[in-house]
Amino acid sequence: MPEKIEQLKVRINEVMDIYNAIALLSWDQQVNMPAGGEEDRGYTTSTLERLAHQKITDPEMEASIDAAAKETSRLDPDSDEARLVKIARREYVKKARVPARWVVEFAQATTNAQSAWIEARATSNFNHFRPSLEKIVDLKREYASFFAPYDHIYDPLLDDFEPGMKTADVQAIFNQVRPEQVKLLKAISQQPQIDDSFLHIPYDEKAEWDFGVDVITRFGYDWNRGRQDKSVHPFTQGFGTGDVRITTRFDPERAVSLLFSTMHESGHAMYDQGFDKRLARTPLSNGASMAIHESQSRMWENLVGRSLSFWKFFYPKIQARFPQQLGNVDLNTFYRAINKVEPSFLRVEADEATYNMHIMLRLEIEIALMEGSLEVKDLPEAWNARMQEYLGITPPNDAQGVLQDVHWSWGLVGYFPTYALGNLVSAQLWEAILKDIPDINDQFERGEFHNLLSWLGQKVHIHGAKFEPQELIQKITGSKIDPQPYLRYLENKYGGIYHLK
Amino acid sequence: MPEKIEQLKVRINEVMDIYNAIALLSWDQQVNMPAGGEEDRGYTTSTLERLAHQKITDPEMEASIDAAAKETSRLDPDSDEARLVKIARREYVKKARVPARWVVEFAQATTNAQSAWIEARATSNFNHFRPSLEKIVDLKREYASFFAPYDHIYDPLLDDFEPGMKTADVQAIFNQVRPEQVKLLKAISQQPQIDDSFLHIPYDEKAEWDFGVDVITRFGYDWNRGRQDKSVHPFTQGFGTGDVRITTRFDPERAVSLLFSTMHESGHAMYDQGFDKRLARTPLSNGASMAIHESQSRMWENLVGRSLSFWKFFYPKIQARFPQQLGNVDLNTFYRAINKVEPSFLRVEADEATYNMHIMLRLEIEIALMEGSLEVKDLPEAWNARMQEYLGITPPNDAQGVLQDVHWSWGLVGYFPTYALGNLVSAQLWEAILKDIPDINDQFERGEFHNLLSWLGQKVHIHGAKFEPQELIQKITGSKIDPQPYLRYLENKYGGIYHLK
């Protein structure tokens, strides 16, 4: 390998190793750490973050990228090396543009905002969170200014999660989705509602857990390179492709949510387990974007895990584990129950047909806040008005409204749209999959998932972050992110379930 | 705080934070990591170790220590600041004396030695390990040379684990111990042997675990600042005083060993939980030495956990958990069984009366190897000869002889004596405790251990590593490490159990 590229890789490997350690500190904090460990864990994590940041923003890093770029200009632009230089420039030079003063101020602001948000949500008092959020909005607007000129002030924020995507792209996509989903929800609301009461009776946690393990083992999640634990919020954390862990949680009120959470996280995890080994210890050993990542988790959770063919195989098995709860429930009743559509206040509880509405609402609000056309003080009102418009319901309080999500207190602005984009991408990939594996539903009915995982592995996983999301989807499906497949999927699925038309 | 001391502390805090992260990487590797994580974990750990080493051996570190030393020369030499400067000089300047070339060579040699040792032990073939051990011995001799002049070539090795202690000190101590323990063992061997067969029948793992948890909760192990997990080899790992974790293991052949292992590790852990918070994120937030650390674990395991007064309280409780196994066994029979003395091949299985003999054998061998008076090739013979001399038994093969311990393959030379010193110190402290808390056995019989923990906390734990081991023991007991209390303890305890004279 040419010398300057090799030198850059050594530098990058070191940074990635530090981030790997930070990832373990974070995983452990959420899964294992006793309460007493908080203070020292904070010191340890911030020291490592400072070290990584120093190395990334060191002028020698940029010089090393420039030197390597001269060498990669003679290589195939799609080679690992050329892509590594490209992504290193994008990620590291972006970080170097942010002044240290801002980083410190932002860290302080989000620390304060997190405790303010917890208190505000607990008492459903938005005013308690308002000053913190105002500070974060100001800082995020300033953050965008470091990357001027831009087409839209929201672009640099979105770019942190969806490299290369513009605000206008997302708006154009969502503008196609919104009226169609509103129409679908209206049609569903006019049909008799589904009875899912048998999902809301006590289920045994251990039996749920074991069933979930059986399912994702069949999916192809590799337990030699992973494990499952419990945490307050389910998440996936990888430490290289050889160790990608998932967590889940048990909610006695919504017992099967453990199962869908396990399937969801396994989708994230199988993506991370599938990156090409040659990309190890570089930023290419990563998902292409948050949306592409979410497309994988939503696919395994919903397109697979809430499909009739999946349950044709698994329903007798779950019935055998829960004879009291499901013994007298037939497959079709169960299938309809896990796909019940019902406008609800909380995004995390939303079904497939309403989920995107929650996201579009957030995107519009984030854009308005960044543009300055909406002030933080007017946020609850704006939130509730859109909830009424999109879902026909008004939150009884701010805890179930504008205060429900932790993201803004963490300073995450530009993240929410990736959830909806992930839904869209999952269906777009699905149409491509159906062309290549026409009998995939028959395979599911036999409990076979390896052809699906192998397809995803070759088309999506192996590339890691080599390609930007739009580029990757174009490569696979022949067009950029397109909402039509998802709309077709919803219409087809719920048309059947709710006997529409 | 004076400026230069403050600057040194910032530097030191950063190094300690990195070591804290390394400690978590190691804990996780032993407790949680799936097999597939090994390769990346290796990269992550060695990158952090390299970063810490760079910061320690940076000439600016030594300059910062010198600058701070000027300020501390005006302070009480026992102040935290003066002690910090002293220990930083000892630890960091020692590391700076070791050339980077040696560090790399040693890392390579121990990596090779570990796989060679595993293979050698599995096949009981010493020759398979011999070349690796020869390399390690050469490197350790060279390591000592970086600290010349010394009184004895073993001194710099010992000093890594027992700061300030000399080889001659340890030899003088062991020379007092050896003949007395040989005499005691001879006397015991002439008495009828104890029947402990009821300890070697199946016990339920979960019930053992729960009983161990009850015991150390009563000891005062703080679960808000710790947790217990399973690992192949039990160990304690702290990440600051707020998070000190222990592990244990279950061996179906030796069920109660889980309990004693839990008590042992809790002794280590309560030490680490007890360091003064003011010492946090410095090398003073550490045990005074390996021997002092071991004195704490051995005290809770043996002087407390194998005492009659302890079992007067706990025996009915363990009987209630294991009615089938212990229902017909009376307290005195149980007490004698858990204190059975029997020469055995493996150090880790040794009872209190034979344990030190295993250590003295290793110390003599290590010293001879370092002096050059014993060659690696002659090691098995030297080992077996001493086993026969001290314990009257000859290992049937090298796996149960010279190959039994992992330590040399890790490059640990100078570590073994700390195990025996820990035993001696535990009894020496015990005599001081009996003076201050004369009714301590009555307290144990009532299940009360807080006065013991509080005594240890104030006399030993709170100081962390501020004092060197000999200095600390002198402060507490009025004399340096003295083997007589341990010999008195053994004679008294086994005199009763084996009805000697």
Side-chain angles (χ1 to χ4, degrees):
Chain A
M1 195 183 299
E3 189 192 349
K4 300 296 179 189
I5 296 174
E6 192 53 51
Q7 288 171 0
L8 175 64
K9 277 189 99 168
V10 170
R11 252 176 217 285
I12 286 174
N13 289 163
E14 185 179 48
V15 169
M16 295 306 292
D17 289 342
I18 299 173
Y19 279 123
N20 228 351
I22 292 170
L24 182 67
L25 290 162
S26 160
W27 177 88
D28 179 82
Q29 185 161 3
Q30 293 171 78
V31 173
N32 285 322
M33 194 184 77
E38 198 161 325
E39 186 179 348
D40 279 306
R41 182 60 52 90
Y43 287 125
T44 305
T45 303
S46 51
T47 289
L48 291 200
E49 271 170 355
R50 197 180 60 248
L51 285 174
H53 195 259
Q54 278 168 3
K55 288 183 184 292
I56 284 173
T57 57
D58 187 332
E60 285 186 34
M61 178 64 90
E62 191 164 351
S64 177
I65 292 170
D66 290 340
K70 282 191 190 132
E71 291 176 351
T72 55
S73 66
R74 292 184 297 270
L75 302 177
D76 174 358
D78 282 357
S79 65
D80 294 347
E81 289 71 26
R83 289 286 172 162
L84 176 61
V85 168
K86 189 178 169 188
I87 201 172
R89 188 185 300 285
R90 186 180 79 210
E91 295 206 351
Y92 298 166
V93 175
K94 193 166 182 182
K95 285 203 172 115
R97 286 241 218 137
V98 180
R101 187 264 315 151
W102 185 93
V103 173
V104 171
E105 220 177 312
F106 185 67
Q108 190 59 57
T110 53
T111 303
N112 296 342
Q114 282 163 53
S115 35
W117 172 76
I118 289 166
E119 172 78 17
R121 195 173 74 149
T123 56
S124 198
N125 176 1
F126 179 74
N127 280 330
H128 195 81
F129 184 47
R130 195 183 120 185
S132 298
L133 186 55
E134 282 168 345
K135 180 75 189 165
I136 283 173
V137 168
D138 287 347
L139 283 165
K140 280 293 183 180
R141 289 171 54 85
E142 188 186 9
Y143 177 83
S145 75
F146 304 137
F147 306 98
Y150 40 67
D151 296 338
H152 191 284
I153 188 172
Y154 193 74
D155 284 352
L157 307 178
L158 182 64
D159 188 75
D160 281 350
F161 309 106
E162 290 301 312
M165 276 200 95
K166 302 290 183 202
T167 308
D169 301 332
V170 179
Q171 285 174 314
I173 292 168
F174 284 9
N175 285 340
Q176 292 181 64
V177 171
R178 195 181 306 102
E180 296 302 319
Q181 284 206 227
V182 167
K183 207 161 71 185
L184 176 69
L185 287 172
K186 190 153 184 205
I188 290 174
S189 73
Q190 285 157 0
Q191 296 299 106
Q193 189 48 293
I194 290 169
D195 175 18
D196 66 347
S197 54
F198 56 86
L199 296 179
H200 300 278
I201 55 179
Y203 281 66
D204 178 62
E205 177 174 353
K206 170 82 165 54
E208 276 282 342
W209 176 284
D210 290 346
F211 182 72
V213 166
D214 286 353
V215 168
I216 68 172
T217 304
R218 273 199 179 259
F219 282 176
Y221 175 71
D222 182 352
W223 294 97
N224 288 321
R225 298 186 290 136
R227 52 182 286 131
Q228 182 172 254
D229 295 88
K230 283 170 73 171
S231 65
V232 178
H233 301 285
F235 69 103
T236 297
Q237 183 68 64
F239 316 95
T241 55
D243 184 1
V244 186
R245 306 179 187 180
I246 61 176
T247 72
T248 191
R249 70 171 157 200
F250 182 71
D251 175 353
E253 309 269 301
R254 305 167 68 239
V256 291
S257 79
L258 181 149
L259 171 62
F260 289 106
S261 158
T262 294
M263 290 196 272
H264 181 96
E265 299 305 330
S266 83
H268 284 303
M270 290 186 286
Y271 190 2
D272 284 13
Q273 289 184 335
F275 303 144
D276 197 326
K277 278 282 281 175
R278 291 179 310 164
L279 310 176
R281 298 171 76 215
T282 76
L284 296 177
S285 188
N286 212 334
S289 75
M290 294 313 301
I292 306 298
H293 233 303
E294 195 71 8
S295 78
Q296 301 303 292
S297 55
R298 302 291 280 184
M299 183 183 291
W300 289 99
E301 176 192 357
N302 292 328
L303 286 92
V304 178
R306 289 184 210 267
S307 73
L308 191 57
S309 43
F310 170 94
W311 286 108
K312 281 187 182 160
F313 179 77
F314 276 112
Y315 194 59
K317 300 185 192 307
I318 201 173
Q319 267 186 317
R321 282 190 192 262
F322 300 103
Q324 284 188 303
Q325 294 89 342
L326 300 175
N328 295 320
V329 176
D330 69 20
L331 168 62
N332 197 50
T333 305
F334 179 82
Y335 170 67
R336 295 184 77 225
I338 59 168
N339 285 296
K340 181 180 178 182
V341 173
E342 190 167 46
S344 60
F345 301 120
L346 302 181
R347 174 186 62 83
V348 294
E349 289 177 6
D351 53 75
E352 286 181 87
T354 56
Y355 192 93
N356 285 348
M357 308 309 292
H358 291 267
I359 296 305
M360 287 185 272
L361 173 162
R362 285 161 178 73
L363 175 68
E364 287 161 30
I365 282 175
E366 287 190 345
I367 288 176
L369 286 171
M370 287 302 118
E371 284 176 343
S373 60
L374 175 67
E375 287 184 64
V376 170
K377 72 174 170 54
D378 301 323
L379 202 44
E381 205 181 322
W383 183 285
N384 293 347
R386 276 185 181 76
M387 279 299 285
Q388 187 59 50
E389 185 185 344
Y390 295 162
L391 291 170
I393 54 177
T394 300
N397 55 50
D398 288 340
Q400 291 187 70
V402 68
L403 290 171
Q404 68 183 262
D405 281 315
V406 70
H407 301 58
W408 290 336
S409 77
W410 284 342
L412 289 174
V413 177
Y415 189 103
F416 279 122
T418 71
Y419 289 129
L421 292 171
N423 285 332
L424 307 183
V425 170
S426 71
Q428 192 174 352
L429 290 174
W430 200 253
E431 291 194 350
I433 290 163
L434 285 172
K435 277 192 200 118
D436 288 347
I437 319 176
D439 68 333
I440 194 158
N441 282 303
D442 299 334
Q443 297 182 13
F444 290 177
E445 289 180 24
R446 295 193 302 268
E448 294 168 14
F449 303 91
H450 55 270
N451 284 331
L452 172 58
L453 180 58
S454 159
W455 190 96
L456 293 169
Q458 289 161 40
K459 301 280 184 178
V460 182
H461 302 175
I462 197 164
H463 302 303
K466 273 183 74 170
F467 306 104
E468 291 187 347
Q470 292 279 37
E471 198 183 2
L472 180 68
I473 298 306
Q474 172 102 43
K475 243 173 96 84
I476 301 172
T477 68
S479 69
K480 292 190 172 181
I481 296 179
D482 172 9
Q484 295 309 322
Y486 191 67
L487 293 172
R488 282 193 284 270
Y489 161 74
L490 287 184
E491 203 180 306
N492 180 44
K493 177 169 186 173
Y494 292 105
I497 291 172
Y498 278 94
H499 314 297
L500 304 179
K501 266 188 283 166
Chain B
M1 193 182 298
E3 190 192 347
K4 300 295 179 190
I5 296 175
E6 192 52 51
Q7 288 170 0
L8 176 64
K9 278 189 99 169
V10 170
R11 251 175 217 286
I12 286 175
N13 289 164
E14 186 179 47
V15 169
M16 296 305 292
D17 289 342
I18 300 173
Y19 279 122
N20 228 351
I22 292 170
L24 182 67
L25 290 162
S26 159
W27 177 88
D28 178 83
Q29 184 161 3
Q30 293 171 78
V31 173
N32 285 323
M33 194 185 77
E38 198 161 326
E39 185 179 349
D40 280 305
R41 183 59 51 91
Y43 287 125
T44 305
T45 302
S46 51
T47 289
L48 290 201
E49 272 171 354
R50 196 181 61 248
L51 286 173
H53 194 260
Q54 278 168 3
K55 287 181 184 293
I56 283 173
T57 57
D58 187 331
E60 284 187 36
M61 178 64 90
E62 191 163 352
S64 178
I65 292 170
D66 290 339
K70 282 194 190 129
E71 290 177 351
T72 56
S73 66
R74 294 186 295 270
L75 303 177
D76 174 359
D78 281 357
S79 66
D80 293 350
E81 289 71 25
R83 288 287 171 161
L84 177 61
V85 168
K86 189 178 170 188
I87 201 171
R89 188 184 300 287
R90 185 179 80 209
E91 294 206 352
Y92 299 167
V93 175
K94 193 167 182 182
K95 284 202 174 117
R97 286 241 218 138
V98 181
R101 186 264 316 151
W102 186 93
V103 173
V104 173
E105 220 176 314
F106 184 67
Q108 190 58 57
T110 52
T111 303
N112 295 342
Q114 281 162 55
S115 35
W117 172 75
I118 289 166
E119 171 78 17
R121 195 172 75 149
T123 57
S124 198
N125 176 2
F126 179 75
N127 280 330
H128 195 82
F129 183 46
R130 193 181 123 186
S132 299
L133 186 55
E134 282 169 344
K135 181 75 190 164
I136 283 174
V137 168
D138 287 347
L139 283 165
K140 280 292 182 178
R141 288 171 54 85
E142 188 186 9
Y143 178 83
S145 75
F146 303 137
F147 306 98
Y150 40 67
D151 296 338
H152 191 284
I153 188 171
Y154 194 74
D155 284 352
L157 307 179
L158 182 64
D159 188 75
D160 281 352
F161 309 105
E162 289 303 311
M165 278 200 92
K166 302 288 183 204
T167 308
D169 302 332
V170 179
Q171 285 174 315
I173 291 167
F174 284 9
N175 285 340
Q176 293 180 63
V177 171
R178 195 181 305 104
E180 295 302 318
Q181 284 205 228
V182 167
K183 205 160 72 185
L184 176 70
L185 287 173
K186 188 149 187 211
I188 291 173
S189 74
Q190 285 158 1
Q191 295 300 103
Q193 189 47 293
I194 290 169
D195 175 18
D196 67 346
S197 54
F198 56 86
L199 296 179
H200 300 279
I201 54 178
Y203 281 67
D204 178 62
E205 178 174 354
K206 170 84 167 53
E208 277 282 342
W209 176 284
D210 290 345
F211 182 72
V213 166
D214 286 352
V215 168
I216 68 172
T217 303
R218 273 198 178 260
F219 282 176
Y221 175 72
D222 182 351
W223 295 96
N224 288 320
R225 298 186 290 138
R227 52 182 287 130
Q228 182 172 253
D229 295 88
K230 284 170 72 172
S231 65
V232 177
H233 301 284
F235 69 102
T236 297
Q237 183 68 64
F239 316 95
T241 56
D243 185 0
V244 186
R245 307 180 186 180
I246 61 175
T247 72
T248 191
R249 69 171 156 200
F250 182 71
D251 176 353
E253 309 269 302
R254 306 169 64 241
V256 291
S257 79
L258 181 149
L259 172 62
F260 290 105
S261 158
T262 294
M263 290 196 273
H264 181 96
E265 299 305 329
S266 83
H268 284 303
M270 290 186 287
Y271 190 1
D272 283 12
Q273 288 183 335
F275 304 144
D276 197 327
K277 279 281 282 173
R278 292 179 310 163
L279 310 176
R281 298 172 76 214
T282 76
L284 296 177
S285 188
N286 212 336
S289 74
M290 295 313 301
I292 306 298
H293 233 302
E294 196 71 9
S295 78
Q296 301 303 293
S297 54
R298 302 292 280 185
M299 183 184 290
W300 289 99
E301 176 192 357
N302 292 329
L303 285 92
V304 178
R306 289 186 212 265
S307 73
L308 191 58
S309 44
F310 170 95
W311 285 107
K312 280 187 182 160
F313 179 77
F314 276 112
Y315 194 60
K317 300 183 192 308
I318 200 172
Q319 268 186 315
R321 282 189 190 262
F322 300 102
Q324 284 188 304
Q325 294 88 343
L326 299 175
N328 295 320
V329 176
D330 69 19
L331 167 62
N332 195 50
T333 306
F334 180 81
Y335 170 67
R336 295 185 77 225
I338 60 169
N339 284 297
K340 181 180 177 182
V341 173
E342 190 167 46
S344 60
F345 301 120
L346 301 181
R347 174 185 63 82
V348 294
E349 289 176 8
D351 53 75
E352 286 181 88
T354 56
Y355 192 93
N356 285 348
M357 308 309 293
H358 290 268
I359 297 306
M360 288 186 271
L361 173 163
R362 285 161 179 72
L363 175 69
E364 287 162 29
I365 282 175
E366 287 190 345
I367 288 177
L369 286 171
M370 287 303 119
E371 284 177 343
S373 59
L374 175 67
E375 287 184 64
V376 171
K377 72 174 171 52
D378 299 324
L379 202 45
E381 205 180 324
W383 183 283
N384 293 348
R386 276 185 182 75
M387 279 298 285
Q388 188 57 50
E389 186 184 343
Y390 294 162
L391 292 170
I393 53 177
T394 299
N397 54 50
D398 288 339
Q400 292 187 69
V402 67
L403 290 171
Q404 68 183 264
D405 281 315
V406 71
H407 301 58
W408 290 337
S409 77
W410 283 342
L412 288 174
V413 177
Y415 189 104
F416 280 123
T418 72
Y419 289 129
L421 292 171
N423 285 332
L424 307 184
V425 170
S426 71
Q428 192 174 351
L429 290 173
W430 199 253
E431 290 194 351
I433 290 163
L434 284 172
K435 276 191 201 119
D436 289 348
I437 319 175
D439 68 333
I440 195 158
N441 282 303
D442 300 335
Q443 296 183 14
F444 290 178
E445 288 180 25
R446 295 192 302 269
E448 293 168 14
F449 302 92
H450 54 270
N451 284 330
L452 173 58
L453 180 58
S454 160
W455 190 96
L456 293 169
Q458 289 162 42
K459 302 280 184 177
V460 181
H461 302 175
I462 198 164
H463 302 303
K466 273 183 75 170
F467 305 105
E468 290 188 346
Q470 292 280 35
E471 198 182 1
L472 180 69
I473 297 306
Q474 172 101 43
K475 242 173 97 84
I476 301 172
T477 68
S479 68
K480 292 190 171 180
I481 296 180
D482 172 10
Q484 295 309 322
Y486 192 66
L487 294 172
R488 282 193 285 270
Y489 162 75
L490 286 185
E491 203 179 308
N492 180 43
K493 176 169 186 173
Y494 291 105
I497 290 173
Y498 277 95
H499 314 297
L500 304 178
K501 264 187 280 162

